[in-house]
Amino acid sequence: MKARVHVTLKPGVLDPQGKAIAHALQALGFDGVNEARQGKVIELDLADDVAGDPEAVRARVDDMCRKLLANTVIETYRIDLDA
Amino acid sequence: MKARVHVTLKPGVLDPQGKAIAHALQALGFDGVNEARQGKVIELDLADDVAGDPEAVRARVDDMCRKLLANTVIETYRIDLDA
């Protein structure tokens, strides 16, 4: 089973990397980009013995997010499970 | 209109960041993670005058990906458009 975790900065948190992207796009002639923000995606390949009940898997991945993958002070995360 | 670009390393390309995540998860007691890979998400907020025909917007964002957002030698990208 695959789990995909999207980690993005909370609204209002300064995102210099996103600002750099927006500037670079403008410099390349792409007008009309109001804002760019950059986040992370982490794709986890979970062993079959772990992947049983989707709710249990989600709870486990949520635990991983809170303990390692996301900094919940400044970031939010979203978990997508693929069968 | 919002566009979300997912940039991930092609299969087979070494991903040290992903490996570090997998090791750290194991060290924290999360067994059963076969592999972890890390990619980027770039959220673009496009001005309304740019956002017309979805196909045109997609072509434009595709152009941004090839010119700046993704390194197509080692990365693949996927574009999601939100109305």
Side-chain angles (χ1 to χ4, degrees):
Chain A
M1 189 184 232
K2 297 246 184 194
R4 195 172 289 118
V5 179
H6 290 81
V7 181
T8 45
L9 286 170
K10 287 184 180 172
V13 177
L14 197 69
D15 179 7
Q17 224 169 347
K19 284 223 184 312
I21 290 171
H23 278 127
L25 285 172
Q26 203 158 28
L28 285 171
F30 293 107
D31 295 324
V33 177
N34 291 336
E35 201 192 2
R37 288 182 80 79
Q38 180 168 337
K40 296 181 279 188
V41 211
I42 298 155
E43 291 179 352
L44 300 170
D45 181 19
L46 302 171
D48 289 337
D49 57 322
V50 175
D53 171 34
E55 275 317 298
V57 174
R58 185 176 292 274
R60 197 178 167 80
V61 175
D62 193 86
D63 206 22
M64 292 178 192
C65 289
R66 277 181 286 106
K67 286 195 180 146
L68 179 75
L69 304 179
N71 175 354
T72 52
V73 177
I74 56 167
E75 294 170 329
T76 53
Y77 58 88
R78 202 183 75 230
I79 299 167
D80 293 331
L81 297 180
D82 290 355
Chain B
M1 188 185 236
K2 296 244 184 197
R4 195 173 290 117
V5 179
H6 289 81
V7 181
T8 46
L9 286 169
K10 288 185 179 171
V13 177
L14 197 68
D15 178 7
Q17 224 169 347
K19 282 220 185 314
I21 291 171
H23 278 128
L25 285 173
Q26 203 157 28
L28 285 171
F30 293 107
D31 295 324
V33 178
N34 290 335
E35 203 194 0
R37 288 182 81 77
Q38 180 168 337
K40 295 181 279 189
V41 211
I42 298 153
E43 291 179 352
L44 301 169
D45 182 19
L46 302 171
D48 288 338
D49 58 321
V50 174
D53 172 33
E55 275 317 299
V57 174
R58 186 177 290 275
R60 196 179 168 80
V61 175
D62 193 86
D63 206 23
M64 293 179 191
C65 288
R66 277 181 287 106
K67 287 196 180 144
L68 179 75
L69 304 179
N71 174 355
T72 53
V73 177
I74 55 167
E75 294 171 329
T76 53
Y77 57 87
R78 203 184 74 230
I79 299 167
D80 294 331
L81 297 180
D82 290 355

